Amino acid sequence: MKPRIAAAGCGAAFGFLITWGQFADPDRIRQMLLLEDAYLYEMMASAVLVAFLGLRLLRRRHARALIGGAPVALERNPVEPRHLGGALLFGVGWAVTDSCPAPIASQLAQGVLWSLFTIAGVLLGIQAFLGFRRRAF
Amino acid sequence: MANVANVLTTRPPALVLGPLIGLVVLALAALLGNRIGALGGYSEVLERATGRAPEFGWKAWFLFGILGGSLLWRVAAGGSELGSGFGWLTRNLSNPASAILLVAGGALIGYGAKTAGGCTSGNGLGGCSAGSPASIAATMTFMATAIAASFAIKAVTG
């Protein structure tokens, strides 16, 4: 039960903050991707800086998760072609819909019914990936 | 309440919001040892619905939390400011064409992010904060691609 509450609580904080930052507004995302608005980049850079420093501290202390006791050191993976190819497809989808997975959920919560089409597409894409992986391995 | 609504309907400075989001990334790591990510929640919901997984994992609960937190913002702010249209799509295209492009774009998001091992939050926030080379490369790639594709769309639609 505790892990669920912790995950949902972190999700709620995240959802509240991205909605406040207007990341659910497709026109805002478009302005940022057309480099007319630096907000996204400033937010991402400062978020990563804070989290990077904090995670480094936790890693150095060999911290364990408060719930469950798993090591806090998050994975560091070497670059593979799939990371670039997948990100390429993702980037096109992001630009077409001016939405990405967390803001899509925020749109739904705010009653933007267009998000239902994007969600249907996301689930189709995941299904295609899972189906492909099952056949491939 | 009116004051709360005023604060919430104005974007906070990016350099205030960013560190707060960074703290959420940290909290998820410190509490559960997990890397933040929104796409995994959709995947877990699908895997549960199709019988691939017996129950929701933490990623699904994180996604439910995003829904709840966004709803909370909406209630506290006194409603959504988003209109009935949807960005450049409905301004330039018919409703059916917009819907088709949203499904197609969503499919690229779902398939692409699963392949790349994360979305804007998973790779962009979580993986980059962990210093993962794969996430840093993926983030630079999807940022550059999305910027290029947005300019291409603007060139076509004006």
Side-chain angles (χ1 to χ4, degrees):
Chain A
M1 199 59 202
K2 266 188 183 174
R4 291 177 184 174
I5 294 172
C10 288
F14 189 55
F16 189 93
L17 290 172
I18 59 165
T19 309
W20 192 12
Q22 301 178 0
F23 290 102
D25 183 345
D27 283 320
R28 282 289 196 197
I29 300 297
R30 188 160 191 258
Q31 287 168 352
M32 297 180 214
L33 292 178
L34 289 173
L35 308 181
E36 295 166 358
D37 181 5
Y39 195 87
L40 169 74
Y41 309 102
E42 290 171 8
M43 182 284 275
M44 288 279 282
S46 56
V48 166
L49 182 68
V50 166
F52 177 79
L53 294 175
L55 287 173
R56 201 169 71 159
L57 193 71
L58 292 174
R59 189 189 291 267
R60 286 200 175 160
R61 293 189 168 194
H62 303 286
R64 294 196 161 264
L66 295 171
I67 302 169
V72 167
L74 303 188
E75 276 186 23
R76 288 177 176 169
N77 300 315
V79 184
E80 298 166 31
R82 69 183 177 93
H83 295 120
L84 307 181
L88 201 80
L89 298 177
F90 177 82
V92 174
W94 191 17
V96 169
T97 63
D98 286 322
S99 315
C100 55
I104 295 169
S106 173
Q107 289 163 6
L108 181 66
Q110 292 180 78
V112 178
L113 296 180
W114 288 103
S115 66
L116 292 171
F117 294 107
T118 328
I119 290 171
V122 168
L123 294 175
L124 277 172
I126 294 172
Q127 171 66 36
F129 174 85
L130 294 174
F132 176 73
R133 195 176 55 174
R134 196 169 44 184
R135 278 195 303 275
F137 298 104
Chain B
M1 275 310 279
N3 287 335
V4 173
N6 284 343
V7 169
L8 290 178
T9 48
T10 310
R11 279 195 310 192
L15 297 181
V16 171
L17 189 75
L20 288 174
I21 288 178
L23 290 178
V24 176
V25 176
L26 268 180
L28 200 59
L31 287 170
L32 296 169
N34 290 331
R35 187 192 81 172
I36 196 169
L39 185 86
Y42 292 86
S43 191
E44 285 191 356
V45 168
L46 181 73
E47 288 168 52
R48 168 97 191 263
T50 53
R52 289 182 178 93
E55 59 180 17
F56 294 130
W58 75 268
K59 292 174 184 172
W61 290 99
F62 182 75
L63 180 63
F64 301 151
I66 295 176
L67 284 167
S70 306
L71 199 59
L72 183 68
W73 180 90
R74 186 192 162 142
V75 171
S80 172
E81 304 231 308
L82 301 176
S84 59
F86 198 89
W88 74 272
L89 286 164
T90 54
R91 271 198 303 276
N92 292 282
L93 302 168
S94 67
N95 283 353
S98 297
I100 289 168
L101 278 177
L102 283 174
V103 173
L108 289 174
I109 289 172
Y111 188 85
K114 281 296 269 189
T115 306
C119 57
T120 332
S121 52
N123 271 329
L125 291 173
C128 286
S129 299
S132 173
S135 292
I136 294 167
T139 303
M140 287 167 61
T141 304
F142 69 62
M143 281 286 180
T145 310
I147 289 168
S150 293
F151 276 101
I153 290 169
K154 190 186 177 191
V156 174
T157 59

